[in-house]
């Protein structure tokens, strides 16, 4: 089965340079919408971290980070997978108060990523994080934040359609909330991705909740590192993508672990060795602020709102021969 599938009759609505201009406008508009919606301030972020700090995102625990040695310090550094844990430490160092947060441009390399229409080894996100209170650690607060992000995406689409009336994309602001266990109960014979496709085909915009723990079947809907999201209070924002005819994730987010949920999840994930790392020790001791946060895919948002069929149309990366050949055959311009 081909990894890259270009829909029959697909043609980009914007030429190569129009696309580049639109990407810049879209990112600027969405950043403004996001920071207003969540009360965020922009900060600078690292491209690499010291692995001894425990700050890199371990993703599913099997992906290999890109590492390199530093001549002057005689130490190793890792290119980030994401800034899920770094942001929480940054909020602590900046002294942010409840209700205040930060966002940043995150650029990462995930060299073990399987390439297809939606995935590249280059990852670009708006990584955001905000301080919350103990009382905010609940599903209702999570849902309200999800609605705010969905509205920011939809507001950006409306602005882009005024600039480019040929864009046919329609998105729903009406978010359907569903847990991964409810999805498994509804579609027991389907794979997790097939369940999302079936559900989103009907509901158009959804927040798929509670990702990381085992379902009743003994399987996971998807992997989540045990040391940033609370698996009971997290999820993915997913839209229906008309161009590709599939569920399309744009944001992974959640209320972050407190000391109790971190303790539980480290044990469940067989990651007790992380307890001795500086970040984890601070968390277990209750020294870091309670937070919520997530990553919003920049290329994903551009793909969705500009009606693109392949992520390589909105970002520059390295592709395998099959992807290049399929895109050339279908007239798709990879940047």
């Amino acid at each position: 089965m081909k990894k890259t599938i270009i829909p029959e009759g697909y043609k980009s609505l914007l030429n190569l340079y129009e696309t580049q201009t639109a990407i810049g406008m879209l990112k600027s508009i969405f950043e403004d919408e996001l920071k207003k919606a969540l009360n965020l301030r922009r900060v600078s972020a690292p491209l690499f971290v010291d692995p001894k700090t425990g700050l890199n995102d371990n993703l599913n625990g099997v992906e290999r980070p890109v590492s390199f040695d530093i001549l002057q310090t005689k130490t190793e550094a890792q290119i980030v997978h994401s800034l899920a844990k770094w942001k929480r430490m940054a909020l602590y160092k900046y002294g942010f108060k409840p209700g205040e947060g930060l966002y940043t441009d995150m650029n990462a390399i995930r060299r073990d990523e399987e390439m297809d229409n939606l995935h590249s080894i280059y990852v670009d996100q708006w990584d955001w994080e905000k301080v919350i209170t103990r009382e905010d650690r609940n599903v209702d607060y999570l849902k309200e934040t999800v609605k705010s992000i969905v509205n920011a995406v939809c507001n950006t689409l409306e602005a882009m359609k005024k600039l480019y009336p040929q864009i046919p994309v329609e998105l729903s602001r009406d978010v359907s909330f569903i847990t991964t266990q409810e999805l498994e109960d509804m579609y027991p014979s389907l794979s997790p991705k097939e369940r999302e496709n079936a559900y989103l085909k009907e509901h158009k915009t959804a927040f798929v909740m509670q990702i990381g723990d085992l379902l009743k079947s003994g399987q996971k809907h998807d992997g989540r590192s045990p040391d940033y999201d609370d698996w009971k209070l997290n999820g993915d924002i997913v839209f229906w993508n008309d161009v590709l005819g599939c569920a399309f994730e744009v944001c992974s987010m959640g209320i972050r672990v407190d000391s109790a949920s971190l303790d539980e999840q480290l044990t469940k994930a067989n990651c007790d060795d992380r307890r001795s790392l500086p970040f984890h020790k601070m968390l277990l001791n209750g020294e870091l602020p309670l937070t919520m946060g997530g990553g919003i895919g920049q290329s994903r948002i551009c793909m969705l709102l500009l009606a693109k069929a392949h992520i390589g149309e909105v970002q520059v990366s390295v592709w395998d021969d099959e992807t290049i050949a399929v895109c050339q055959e279908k007239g798709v311009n990879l940047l």
Side-chain angles (χ1 to χ4, degrees), residues 55-71:
L55 288 176
N56 205 357
D57 182 353
N58 298 90
L59 300 177
N60 295 307
V62 296
E63 294 88 349
R64 301 169 301 153
V66 175
S67 300
F68 61 94
D69 65 290
I70 303 171
L71 179 62

Side-chain angles (χ1 to χ4, degrees), residues 76-108:
E76 292 285 318
Q78 287 181 355
I79 304 292
V80 296
H81 275 148
S82 87
L83 299 175
K85 289 179 278 188
W86 176 88
K87 293 175 296 182
R88 192 166 183 177
M89 184 67 79
L91 288 172
Y92 168 75
K93 290 181 176 178
Y94 290 142
F96 279 34
K97 304 301 181 187
E100 300 175 342
L102 58 83
Y103 78 97
T104 189
D105 270 319
M106 188 282 292
N107 297 285

